[in-house]
Amino acid sequence: MPRRPTKAEPSPPPPVVLPSEAVSPFETSLDVDLGDAGSQMVTAVFIPSGFPSLDAEPELRINMPAQALIAMGSERVTFAVDMPPAALARTGYDHVVVDYWPTGHQPADGAGGGYGVPLLSLSFLSKPMSWCDEHISECVELTDGAAGCNASAPAEDTRAFFELPSADYTPTGMAPLKTFGGLALPNIGNLLIPEADGAALTCGGVQPPVELAGKPPWAACLAQSLSVKDGAPHPDYGCRCGKWPAPTVSPVGLAYGGAIIGHGVMLSMAHVQGLVDGTASDPVPFPQARASDIAGLIADVVETSYDAALGHVSVSFVLREHEPVGGGAPAWAWVCLVIALVACAVTCFLQCQGPPKAAPAKEGSPASDGHQLL
């Protein structure tokens, strides 16, 4: 289904209009215009548990041509791929939105700090495309040219981007970006990033210009980063953001309207190049929540890999059923409960039997003659 362009995307190519094609119950494919790299095939594959080995966990994998990704150039590219039928039946995800950000996005300083580097984001959404088109396809932008939504905008559909889930439903160790007006993006939702990223990507050293007087310090950082994006002369206001922690692969939660509507991952293009060059990439655990808004198999581990024979880079979610994190009673409490239930059952059984019956008296005995024994 076509995705509407948004106000936050002043210059990207139009959304892909070709529908995903189900190659099999376990695979869908999409012919994608990857900008400078031209038309390329992207596939979404669902691998059930037990394949290729009996102990293998289920997996959701997005395959993309490696050299085409590296050659995408300076234009933003965005497209969506439907999940295969088998994945729709077993997982909590409906489709994936893939975004290529040639200059990254906030937090950024225009000098390579923060997320201000070329990157890919893959957003696995639990809602159908029709719902996403109605609810999250547009928002009031933070400022002209910025990708983010404006938290101060009175529009109801924009405010919903900033309604966060309760602590029980928020993946452990994730939080919204607390500067740059947050990181709520059209077609995706509000990105909850690892707290370790938030701490490392802190920006400082700002010397606000007169035209930004009274604005928060990050406004100068945003102006620096947007000047790089637009190709304008770089105004250096002294803003410097910390570097994205290695391996520059970050799991993210996607929130909207007080609920988690999906899970995602961001990875730098330097990481993609490293995969092609043979740099080892360890799996990244996906933080879990005490409770889940998403039914079915969900992300447990993020894996990235390169298949030299096929020439593609894969970004995968190893999947699991949701299990509460940090909730419920400890193991010893369950043991005590079982013991108590067994004791109660035994007591009830004995009480139901009543008092023991006296043995019948023998003929000729005192009791049989009706005389009491003294």
Side-chain angles (χ1 to χ4, degrees):
M1 181 173 183
R3 307 186 67 82
R4 296 195 300 270
T6 69
K7 295 179 182 177
E9 300 174 345
S11 60
V16 173
V17 296
L18 294 176
S20 303
E21 178 182 353
V23 177
S24 77
F26 301 97
E27 180 178 340
T28 54
S29 64
L30 183 67
D31 192 16
V32 179
D33 182 358
L34 294 183
D36 291 353
S39 180
Q40 303 287 336
M41 189 64 68
V42 174
T43 60
V45 181
F46 175 63
I47 304 171
S49 58
F51 293 93
S53 60
L54 292 177
D55 60 348
E57 299 294 332
E59 184 178 333
L60 193 55
R61 181 182 297 172
I62 308 301
N63 298 322
M64 297 169 284
Q67 294 302 327
L69 290 180
I70 294 169
M72 279 197 289
S74 60
E75 293 295 326
R76 184 179 168 192
V77 176
T78 180
F79 58 90
V81 182
D82 292 319
M83 290 296 101
L88 291 173
R90 293 291 315 282
T91 78
Y93 307 114
D94 178 85
H95 63 282
V96 59
V97 176
V98 181
D99 276 295
Y100 166 64
W101 303 81
T103 58
H105 55 59
Q106 63 264 29
D109 57 12
Y115 292 138
V117 295
L119 64 85
L120 278 177
S121 69
L122 290 85
S123 305
F124 294 79
L125 290 148
S126 65
K127 304 293 187 181
M129 285 193 182
S130 57
W131 184 95
C132 294
D133 284 336
E134 180 180 354
H135 294 279
I136 64 171
S137 63
E138 294 182 296
C139 69
V140 178
E141 64 185 16
L142 180 63
T143 187
D144 187 29
C149 305
N150 188 343
S152 301
E156 183 176 349
D157 56 350
T158 297
R159 288 203 309 271
F161 277 89
F162 298 93
E163 295 173 2
L164 301 175
S166 65
D168 283 347
Y169 288 84
T170 300
T172 303
M174 285 187 168
L177 181 66
K178 295 180 173 61
T179 60
F180 283 78
L183 188 50
L185 302 172
N187 297 321
I188 297 174
N190 195 331
L191 275 65
L192 309 183
I193 63 174
E195 292 176 344
D197 281 18
L201 305 182
T202 301
C203 305
V206 180
Q207 303 168 13
V210 174
E211 61 269 22
L212 294 177
K215 299 285 186 181
W218 55 260
C221 300
L222 182 61
Q224 286 184 192
S225 64
L226 290 179
S227 70
V228 172
K229 175 181 177 181
D230 296 337
H234 178 59
D236 192 344
Y237 301 136
C239 176
R240 294 295 181 269
C241 301
K243 297 294 184 181
W244 189 354
T248 59
V249 176
S250 297
V252 295
L254 309 175
Y256 178 86
I260 294 294
I261 61 169
H263 300 122
V265 58
M266 296 187 297
L267 60 156
S268 71
M269 294 306 296
H271 180 84
V272 173
Q273 182 67 64
L275 293 174
V276 175
D277 294 341
T279 304
S281 177
D282 295 327
V284 177
F286 201 103
Q288 301 297 309
R290 294 187 181 91
S292 179
D293 288 307
I294 301 175
L297 297 170
I298 59 173
D300 183 43
V301 175
V302 177
E303 293 185 345
T304 56
S305 60
Y306 172 63
D307 188 321
L310 297 177
H312 64 222
V313 164
S314 297
V315 179
S316 305
F317 276 174
V318 178
L319 305 167
R320 64 180 294 181
E321 294 284 355
H322 174 264
E323 295 178 6
V325 175
W332 62 262
W334 289 108
V335 173
C336 293
L337 176 61
V338 170
I339 293 174
L341 290 173
V342 171
C344 181
V346 171
T347 301
C348 291
F349 175 78
L350 294 176
Q351 289 178 347
C352 290
Q353 300 303 308
K357 296 180 180 179
K362 294 181 179 179
E363 186 176 352
S365 69
S368 66
D369 294 336
H371 299 286
Q372 288 184 330
L373 295 175
L374 300 177

